[in-house]
């Protein structure tokens, strides 16, 4: 009697067969992995089932796939964990498109698919070259130091590398690329893996081209401002790289570098931040205007793209007036929005004065999270082994640092 | 928790952070929340001195600034002695991110030094901040909510749209303790007598965060999800996030141009859907203020139950 049923998305182009679903019953200990299940199916039932794997220990990054719709490593996902999720979330009915929810053992099926955002070569094997590696090469993923190389290795103080250790943990499995929701809408988006890799070099003190790299990625319409901030890559990454956090570090660095990108990314951030300093809550009309054409009152120098953006947003505003959504007209006029009551606005301004002075950045990946007494054990540190590793380095004991680039 | 004499809500009294957008471009959200909370006997103490959560944007510029601003809001909530509630997925996500960093003792004392000038201090001990959806499921209870329903949704086919900020990252958002938070909207729809529509976009991104930076990519996301819901025969969508509402409803005609198809699907705010089931009229709930017409939803609710397939 089988313990688990895997519902696998098959695709065999050599037999001119379109994608179809096939179920495999596997008989394994619940603490073994979904990859173990797939290998048993391949061994006992169908040797043609294509799956890529090597280390089986979440180190090589070969077995990226979607399990119950979640991009992850098959070797890092336990069968019981996957089945429990499939049960609570009724995954088979959703992802498979049919209503068969249980295998021969009466338990829900675990749905296994190839990674998303990439062409499928066969079954669970995707083409990493056409998407993932092409994008990685796009960010010039090697060090560009200044001058002649030293006689021996480059020597840098260990603490200067703390900032990039998180991005260095990437194993190139592609799970983040598979999960990326911006890339679904824009296949040209440079994407989470490549941008995290870019930060690895931009944050490296030995690199001489950091500014050029930043300009390049900020000006590219498919660069750092094309990330929709959906957190999918953070949950997908099996190594705690949190690619989206690295993209936000790139935006912070571009902000500090003063890059006024053609995507209005910095304008938007700057406008948002200033409005809260003045008003305490968001004046959306002001934000819309300033994102496209900052400083309208003083020096209006809108670029072509700015005028286009502002004009494109007009039909939406006009429709809002018609339905009464923005019936109180002041909401449409930038700057009319009220401040916080009493002395509250002054307090907010004082917070700005302090924080803009320090710009402390707390890196929880380096520092680790303090154990929460109420939380169950082991729930607080996603990558305890790596945190311990970085903490043992000299100078890596703080995780509190001034903002990127400063 | 402070005891109150409210009967229907069993003393559920909360420090309420409405956020910015619910008092700006989606005023119907703030209004419908007040109506629904009152009907359910949930007492809301509005934090009118609190500030914007930063929506992740201020943190992009300066993490310490975002953390201090939110610590201020948390401290103001703590002054009331009540648990905090928000009605915006984005507030939830941005504030949870700050809460995660502010759990660090040394960092928090640095932040609290700044707050001390206002006589405030944030102490994470016992502090909670939950959006209205989580409050309804975890604190109020869906069974109790179902008992209050006077106009069951009559098999109305509702597509849930969660919004990224209450779904991910799971570790930050308390999924270890509440692993089914990404199912709450489905359960709420069912508790109100509606039918959950399964479609591809329920847990995807509306695209709003990049509307001014990558307009086409942003609207393609919104348009695709609305289209998928229409293809799955949805009567409407429901979302706990006003920013998702901006892209799904206010920008819907523009999204339709980008995905090159007719859309026209009503998008309800979470408290509006609850309000309909509690017997409020669409106009009271501000549904007429939406860009995408909600007439079809009103017609569907007027149909007798037998007429639904």
């Amino acid at each position: 009697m089988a313990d688990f049923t895997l519902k696998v998305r098959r695709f065999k182009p050599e037999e001119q067969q379109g994608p179809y679903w096939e179920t495999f019953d596997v008989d394994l200990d619940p603490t073994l992995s979904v990859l173990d299940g797939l290998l048993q199916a391949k061994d006992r039932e169908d040797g043609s089932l294509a799956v890529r794997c090597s280390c089986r220990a979440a180190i090589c990054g070969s077995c990226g796939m979607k399990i119950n719709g979640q991009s992850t490593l098959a070797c890092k996902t336990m069968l019981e964990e996957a089945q429990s999720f499939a049960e609570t979330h009724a995954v088979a009915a959703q992802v498979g498109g049919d209503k068969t929810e249980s295998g021969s053992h009466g338990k829900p099926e675990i749905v296994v698919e190839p990674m998303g955002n990439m062409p499928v070569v066969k079954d669970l094997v995707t083409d990493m070259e056409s998407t993932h590696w092409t994008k990685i090469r796009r960010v010039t993923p090697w060090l560009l130091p200044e001058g002649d190389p030293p006689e021996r290795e480059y020597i840098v103080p260990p603490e200067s590398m703390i900032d990039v250790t998180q991005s260095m943990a990437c194993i190139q499995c592609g799970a983040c690329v598979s999960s990326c929701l911006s890339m679904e809408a824009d296949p040209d988006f440079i994407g989470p893996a490549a941008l995290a890799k870019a930060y690895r070099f931009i944050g490296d003190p030995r690199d001489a081209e950091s500014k050029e790299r930043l300009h390049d990625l900020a000006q590219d319409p498919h660069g750092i401002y094309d990330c929709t901030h959906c957190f999918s890559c953070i949950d997908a990454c099996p190594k705690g790289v949190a690619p989206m956090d690295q993209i936000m570090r790139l935006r912070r660095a571009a902000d500090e570098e003063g890059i006024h990108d053609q995507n209005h990314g910095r304008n938007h951030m700057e406008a948002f931040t200033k409005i809260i300093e003045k008003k305490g809550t968001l004046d959306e009309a002001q934000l819309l205007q300033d994102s496209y054409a900052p400083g309208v009152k003083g020096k209006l120098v809108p670029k072509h793209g700015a005028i286009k953006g502002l004009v494109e947003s007009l039909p939406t505003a006009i429709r809002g007036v018609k339905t009464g959504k923005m019936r109180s007209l002041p909401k449409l006029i930038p700057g009319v929005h009220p401040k916080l009551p009493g002395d509250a606005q002054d307090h907010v301004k004082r917070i700005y004065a302090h924080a803009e002075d320090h710009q402390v950045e707390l890196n929880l990946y380096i520092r680790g999270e303090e154990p929460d007494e109420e939380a169950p054990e082991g729930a607080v540190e996603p990558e305890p082994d790596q945190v311990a590793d970085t903490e043992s380095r000299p100078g890596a004991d703080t995780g509190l640092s001034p903002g990127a680039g400063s | 928790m402070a005891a109150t004499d409210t009967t229907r809500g069993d003393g559920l009294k909360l420090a309420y952070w409405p956020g910015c957008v619910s008092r700006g471009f989606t005023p119907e959200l703030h209004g419908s929340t007040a109506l629904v909370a009152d009907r359910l006997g949930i007492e809301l103490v509005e934090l009118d001195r609190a500030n914007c959560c930063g929506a992740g944007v201020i943190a992009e510029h300066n993490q310490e600034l975002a953390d201090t601003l939110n610590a201020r809001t948390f401290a103001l909530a703590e002054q009331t002695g009540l648990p905090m509630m928000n009605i915006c997925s984005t507030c939830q996500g941005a504030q949870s991110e700050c809460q995660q960093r502010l759990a660090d003792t040394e960092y928090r004392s640095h932040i609290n030094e700044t707050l001390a000038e206002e006589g405030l201090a944030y102490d994470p001990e016992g502090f909670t901040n939950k959006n209205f959806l989580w409050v309804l499921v975890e604190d109020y209870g869906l069974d109790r909510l179902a008992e209050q329903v006077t106009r069951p949704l009559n098999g109305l086919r509702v597509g849930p749209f969660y919004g990224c900020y209450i779904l991910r990252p799971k570790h930050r958002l308390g999924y270890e303790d509440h692993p089914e938070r990404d199912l709450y909207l489905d359960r709420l729809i069912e508790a109100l007598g509606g039918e959950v529509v399964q479609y591809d976009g329920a847990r995807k991104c509306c695209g709003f965060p990049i509307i001014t930076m990558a307009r086409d990519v942003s609207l393609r996301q919104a348009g695709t999800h609305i289209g998928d819901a229409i293809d799955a025969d949805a009567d409407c969508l429901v979302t706990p996030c006003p920013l998702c509402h901006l892209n799904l409803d206010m920008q819907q005609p523009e999204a339709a141009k980008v995905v090159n198809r007719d859309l026209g699907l009503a998008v309800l705010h979470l408290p509006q859907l609850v309000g309909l089931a509690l017997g409020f009229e669409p106009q009271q709930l501000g549904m007429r203020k939406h860009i995408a017409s909600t007439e079809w939803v009103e017609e569907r609710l007027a149909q007798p139950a037998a007429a639904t397939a």
Side-chain angles (χ1 to χ4, degrees):
Chain A
M1 167 133 171
D3 294 312
F4 301 95
T5 301
L6 304 178
K7 183 185 180 82
V8 183
R9 186 95 168 150
R10 306 281 318 258
F11 175 52
K12 299 190 208 171
E14 73 277 16
E15 293 173 20
Q16 274 85 47
Q17 285 202 57
Y20 62 98
W21 293 99
E22 187 168 359
T23 54
F24 298 97
D25 289 339
V26 297
D27 185 7
L28 284 171
D29 187 277
T31 58
L32 288 176
S33 71
V34 172
L35 178 62
D36 291 319
L38 289 166
L39 294 178
Q40 189 184 73
K42 186 179 170 71
D43 183 41
R44 295 188 184 172
E45 289 191 57
D46 184 353
S48 79
L49 176 64
V51 53
R52 191 155 44 198
C53 66
S54 179
C55 77
R56 306 193 203 183
I59 293 168
C60 76
S62 301
C63 64
M65 59 187 73
K66 279 188 181 177
I67 298 171
N68 296 321
Q70 317 287 308
S71 300
T72 186
L73 293 179
C75 70
K76 213 192 172 199
T77 310
M78 277 192 287
L79 284 161
E80 62 179 356
E81 176 195 340
Q83 181 165 279
S84 154
F85 186 90
E87 188 162 17
T88 53
H89 290 69
V91 174
Q94 289 175 34
V95 186
D98 64 42
K99 300 286 176 197
T100 17
E101 285 189 27
S102 47
S104 56
H105 42 72
K107 294 180 200 159
E109 295 161 340
I110 298 165
V111 176
V112 185
E113 296 165 279
M115 286 198 284
N117 287 327
M118 302 175 206
V120 179
V121 177
K122 185 180 177 183
D123 295 336
L124 300 171
V125 176
T126 53
D127 174 12
M128 295 283 284
E129 174 57 31
S130 68
T131 310
H132 178 73
W133 293 113
T134 303
K135 288 173 188 293
I136 292 285
R137 280 194 295 272
R138 159 71 184 79
V139 302
T140 321
W142 56 83
L143 209 57
L144 297 168
E146 202 167 5
D148 296 329
E151 224 167 275
R152 297 187 51 149
E153 65 276 339
Y154 286 94
I155 295 172
V156 291
E159 56 271 22
S160 68
M161 296 297 285
I162 292 171
D163 197 38
V164 293
T165 48
Q166 191 173 13
S167 54
M168 286 163 81
C170 175
I171 56 171
Q172 308 289 348
C173 66
C176 61
V177 173
S178 164
S179 75
C180 178
L181 297 180
S182 263
M183 211 184 285
E184 268 190 26
D186 175 17
D188 290 334
F189 177 41
I190 296 176
L195 288 173
K197 184 55 74 188
Y199 188 72
R200 185 252 167 276
F201 293 100
I202 284 168
D204 191 312
R206 296 166 295 179
D207 196 86
E209 307 280 332
S210 294
K211 287 181 186 177
E212 289 76 4
R213 291 174 189 268
L214 267 180
H215 274 273
D216 172 35
L217 299 174
Q219 297 292 4
D220 191 324
H222 312 288
I224 56 176
Y225 297 112
D226 201 16
C227 163
T228 191
H229 215 273
C230 73
F231 306 93
S232 293
C233 58
I234 297 185
D235 272 358
C237 178
K239 304 306 280 185
V241 171
M244 193 194 97
D245 287 352
Q246 311 311 320
I247 298 173
M248 296 309 129
R249 289 198 168 105
L250 288 170
R251 288 188 184 177
R252 208 172 301 144
D255 174 32
E256 284 171 17
E257 188 57 32
I259 301 169
H260 281 282
D261 58 284
Q262 59 168 355
N263 308 302
H264 322 294
R266 184 171 189 259
N267 284 350
H268 176 78
M269 186 198 300
E270 207 172 25
F272 195 116
T273 309
K274 278 187 182 159
I275 288 168
I276 305 308
E277 182 176 16
K278 278 189 200 155
K279 305 283 178 68
T281 56
L282 190 62
D283 177 345
E284 297 132 315
Q286 184 84 49
L287 178 64
L288 199 56
Q289 176 188 290
D290 288 357
S291 295
Y292 292 121
V296 158
K297 279 163 253 151
K299 34 173 181 142
L300 177 59
V301 207
K303 294 175 191 147
H304 170 69
I307 295 171
K308 188 166 169 279
L310 203 52
V311 169
E312 279 174 344
S313 67
L314 284 180
T316 308
I318 291 163
R319 270 184 224 108
V321 178
K322 277 189 199 152
T323 63
K325 181 182 239 334
M326 303 171 201
R327 184 164 290 139
S328 61
L329 201 57
K331 274 181 200 135
L332 278 180
I333 303 170
V336 174
H337 188 84
K339 291 179 184 178
L340 292 181
D343 54 359
Q345 194 61 49
D346 294 332
H347 291 302
V348 167
K349 279 186 181 158
R350 245 173 278 153
I351 286 175
Y352 268 74
H354 277 273
E356 294 287 42
D357 213 28
H358 302 119
Q359 299 227 15
V360 167
E361 187 182 331
L362 178 73
N363 187 332
L364 287 175
Y365 179 83
I366 304 297
R367 195 170 169 89
E369 288 185 52
E370 283 181 21
D372 174 1
E373 291 85 43
E374 288 171 39
E377 254 181 84
V380 280
E381 285 171 291
E383 292 291 330
D385 48 339
Q386 292 191 11
V387 172
D389 179 39
T390 48
E391 273 182 348
S392 63
R393 296 182 197 192
D397 57 337
T398 99
L400 275 168
S401 67
S406 61
Chain B
M1 191 186 291
T4 69
D5 52 7
T6 318
T7 47
R8 284 167 302 170
D10 279 356
L12 200 53
K13 187 175 175 183
L14 304 158
Y16 168 47
W17 166 239
C20 304
V21 179
S22 79
R23 295 175 292 182
F25 280 1
T26 65
E28 68 276 5
L29 170 58
H30 189 38
S32 56
T33 302
L35 283 180
V36 165
D38 182 60
R39 177 67 58 91
L40 295 176
I42 300 172
E43 196 180 340
L44 301 178
V45 178
E46 193 172 324
L47 299 169
D48 60 349
R49 288 171 58 86
N51 48 260
C52 172
C53 72
V57 181
I58 293 182
E60 267 174 46
H61 163 71
N62 180 345
Q63 211 181 69
E64 182 183 351
L65 177 57
D67 290 346
T68 319
L69 287 170
N70 280 312
R72 179 177 179 274
T73 300
F74 303 155
L76 287 168
E78 286 182 310
Q79 279 191 333
T80 67
L82 303 169
M84 182 173 148
M85 183 185 95
N86 63 74
I87 50 167
C88 172
S89 296
T90 303
C91 290
Q92 180 74 61
Q95 290 174 334
S96 294
E97 181 178 335
C98 297
Q99 268 182 278
Q100 192 184 21
R101 285 191 291 264
L102 289 164
D104 187 280
T105 313
E106 186 189 337
Y107 181 62
R108 187 172 63 251
S109 58
H110 170 73
I111 300 292
N112 273 338
E113 276 173 34
T114 310
L115 294 185
E117 287 184 24
E118 200 181 345
L120 294 172
Y122 167 56
D123 176 8
E125 183 66 40
F127 175 74
T128 58
N129 173 29
K130 291 183 183 180
N131 65 78
F132 192 35
L133 176 62
W134 296 356
V135 168
L136 282 178
V137 177
E138 292 165 9
D139 301 310
Y140 192 84
L142 289 182
D143 290 343
R144 187 140 66 109
L145 178 65
E147 286 167 18
Q148 317 269 343
V149 170
T150 57
R151 174 168 54 197
L153 295 183
N154 202 11
L156 186 76
R157 290 181 53 80
V158 186
F161 196 92
Y162 282 82
C164 301
Y165 285 74
I166 59 165
L167 292 171
R168 299 175 286 267
K170 288 189 165 181
H171 169 61
R172 176 184 294 162
L173 293 168
Y175 277 76
E176 280 109 355
D177 294 333
H178 306 280
E180 297 181 13
R181 281 184 167 171
D182 56 352
L183 294 169
Y184 285 179
L185 206 45
D186 295 48
R187 300 212 171 128
L188 178 86
I189 293 166
E190 283 166 1
L192 301 175
E195 192 183 325
V196 177
V197 175
Q198 304 290 352
Y199 72 108
D200 205 35
R203 291 170 187 82
K204 291 191 173 178
C205 181
C206 70
F208 183 76
I210 50 172
I211 185 70
T212 59
M213 300 179 253
R215 190 171 182 273
D216 268 27
V217 183
S218 171
L219 294 177
R220 191 168 304 127
Q221 297 185 60
T224 303
H225 306 327
I226 298 165
D228 285 348
I230 291 172
D231 293 345
D233 288 328
D235 293 320
C236 65
L237 293 180
V238 64
T239 180
C241 181
L243 300 181
C244 293
H245 198 269
L246 291 181
N247 239 30
L248 296 171
D249 176 67
M250 195 163 90
Q251 299 278 13
Q252 197 177 114
E254 299 301 303
K257 289 180 203 165
V258 172
V259 295
N260 197 23
R261 64 175 283 183
D262 286 335
L263 295 175
L265 183 67
V267 186
L268 305 191
H269 296 283
L270 168 75
Q272 288 176 329
L273 191 77
V274 179
L276 285 174
L278 295 179
F280 288 107
E281 293 310 313
Q283 197 143 9
Q284 288 175 285
L285 298 164
M287 283 167 55
R288 299 274 159 80
K289 288 184 179 167
H290 293 194
I291 301 298
S293 169
T294 58
E295 269 173 46
W296 172 246
V297 173
E298 297 174 34
E299 278 174 36
R300 277 286 281 103
L301 286 178
Q303 287 167 16
T308 59

